[in-house]
Amino acid sequence: MLHFSCDLCGQHLGDRRFAVKLEVFAAFDPEEIDEQDLDADNLQNISAMIEEMEQTGETPVDDCSPKKFRFDLCPHCHQRFLQDPLGREATKRLNFSKN
Protein backbone atom coordinates (compact mmCIF):
# COMPACT_ATOMS: atom_id res chain seq x y z
CA MET A 1 0.00 0.00 0.00
CA LEU A 2 1.23 3.47 -0.86
CA HIS A 3 1.66 6.06 1.88
CA PHE A 4 1.72 9.73 0.96
CA SER A 5 3.08 12.70 2.88
CA CYS A 6 2.76 16.41 2.14
CA ASP A 7 5.71 17.63 0.09
CA LEU A 8 5.66 20.98 1.92
CA CYS A 9 5.08 20.20 5.59
CA GLY A 10 5.72 16.44 5.70
CA GLN A 11 2.35 15.61 7.30
CA HIS A 12 1.04 12.09 6.66
CA LEU A 13 -1.74 12.21 4.06
CA GLY A 14 -4.80 10.03 4.12
CA ASP A 15 -7.51 10.15 1.50
CA ARG A 16 -7.62 13.97 1.51
CA ARG A 17 -4.66 15.03 -0.54
CA PHE A 18 -4.18 17.40 -3.44
CA ALA A 19 -1.84 16.83 -6.36
CA VAL A 20 -0.05 19.73 -8.03
CA LYS A 21 1.41 19.14 -11.47
CA LEU A 22 3.82 21.66 -12.97
CA GLU A 23 5.31 21.69 -16.43
CA VAL A 24 8.16 24.05 -17.25
CA PHE A 25 9.14 24.55 -20.87
CA ALA A 26 10.79 27.14 -23.09
CA ALA A 27 8.27 29.65 -24.44
CA PHE A 28 10.57 30.24 -27.38
CA ASP A 29 12.19 28.00 -29.96
CA PRO A 30 15.76 27.46 -28.70
CA GLU A 31 16.73 26.08 -32.11
CA GLU A 32 15.49 29.12 -34.06
CA ILE A 33 18.20 31.02 -35.93
CA ASP A 34 17.73 34.68 -36.77
CA GLU A 35 19.73 37.26 -38.74
CA GLN A 36 21.73 38.29 -35.68
CA ASP A 37 22.91 34.69 -35.18
CA LEU A 38 24.11 34.54 -38.78
CA ASP A 39 26.03 37.83 -38.47
CA ALA A 40 27.82 36.83 -35.25
CA ASP A 41 31.46 35.73 -35.26
CA ASN A 42 30.78 32.17 -34.19
CA LEU A 43 34.45 31.12 -34.15
CA GLN A 44 35.20 33.89 -31.66
CA ASN A 45 32.21 32.86 -29.51
CA ILE A 46 33.26 29.21 -29.53
CA SER A 47 36.83 30.16 -28.64
CA ALA A 48 35.60 32.24 -25.69
CA MET A 49 33.35 29.38 -24.49
CA ILE A 50 36.21 26.87 -24.67
CA GLU A 51 38.50 29.22 -22.76
CA GLU A 52 35.85 29.73 -20.06
CA MET A 53 35.28 25.97 -19.82
CA GLU A 54 39.02 25.37 -19.40
CA GLN A 55 39.24 27.97 -16.62
CA THR A 56 36.11 27.01 -14.66
CA GLY A 57 35.80 23.33 -15.51
CA GLU A 58 32.05 23.81 -16.09
CA THR A 59 30.12 23.49 -19.32
CA PRO A 60 27.74 26.44 -19.92
CA VAL A 61 24.94 24.50 -21.58
CA ASP A 62 21.39 25.79 -21.33
CA ASP A 63 18.95 22.96 -20.75
CA CYS A 64 15.77 24.01 -22.55
CA SER A 65 14.11 20.62 -22.42
CA PRO A 66 10.65 20.45 -20.79
CA LYS A 67 10.48 19.46 -17.10
CA LYS A 68 7.50 17.97 -15.26
CA PHE A 69 6.99 18.01 -11.49
CA ARG A 70 4.31 16.49 -9.25
CA PHE A 71 3.72 17.37 -5.60
CA ASP A 72 1.26 16.00 -3.05
CA LEU A 73 -0.16 18.56 -0.60
CA CYS A 74 -2.25 18.39 2.54
CA PRO A 75 -5.43 20.54 2.63
CA HIS A 76 -3.68 23.32 4.61
CA CYS A 77 -0.67 23.54 2.26
CA HIS A 78 -3.02 23.29 -0.71
CA GLN A 79 -4.80 26.46 0.45
CA ARG A 80 -1.46 28.22 1.00
CA PHE A 81 -0.31 27.16 -2.46
CA LEU A 82 -3.49 28.50 -4.10
CA GLN A 83 -3.02 31.88 -2.41
CA ASP A 84 0.64 32.21 -3.46
CA PRO A 85 1.64 29.61 -6.09
CA LEU A 86 5.02 31.22 -6.84
CA GLY A 87 5.97 31.75 -3.20
CA ARG A 88 6.39 35.52 -3.58
CA GLU A 89 5.02 36.29 -0.13
CA ALA A 90 7.40 33.80 1.50
CA THR A 91 10.44 35.64 0.13
CA LYS A 92 9.07 39.00 1.32
CA ARG A 93 8.93 37.68 4.88
CA LEU A 94 12.67 36.99 4.97
CA ASN A 95 14.53 39.72 6.82
CA PHE A 96 18.20 39.91 5.96
CA SER A 97 20.53 42.26 7.79
CA LYS A 98 22.17 44.99 5.73
CA ASN A 99 25.84 44.14 6.34
Side-chain angles (χ1 to χ4, degrees), residues 5-51:
S5 60
C6 178
D7 289 318
L8 284 178
C9 70
Q11 176 184 335
H12 174 72
L13 297 175
D15 292 336
R16 288 192 44 110
R17 66 183 170 90
F18 295 87
V20 176
K21 292 182 180 182
L22 294 174
E23 183 177 9
V24 181
F25 55 90
F28 60 94
D29 183 4
E31 303 297 324
E32 184 178 321
I33 297 175
D34 59 12
E35 195 68 35
Q36 186 178 17
D37 294 327
L38 297 174
D39 291 340
D41 184 2
N42 293 320
L43 291 178
Q44 181 66 29
N45 292 342
I46 291 171
S47 175
M49 286 176 66
I50 291 172
E51 185 177 325

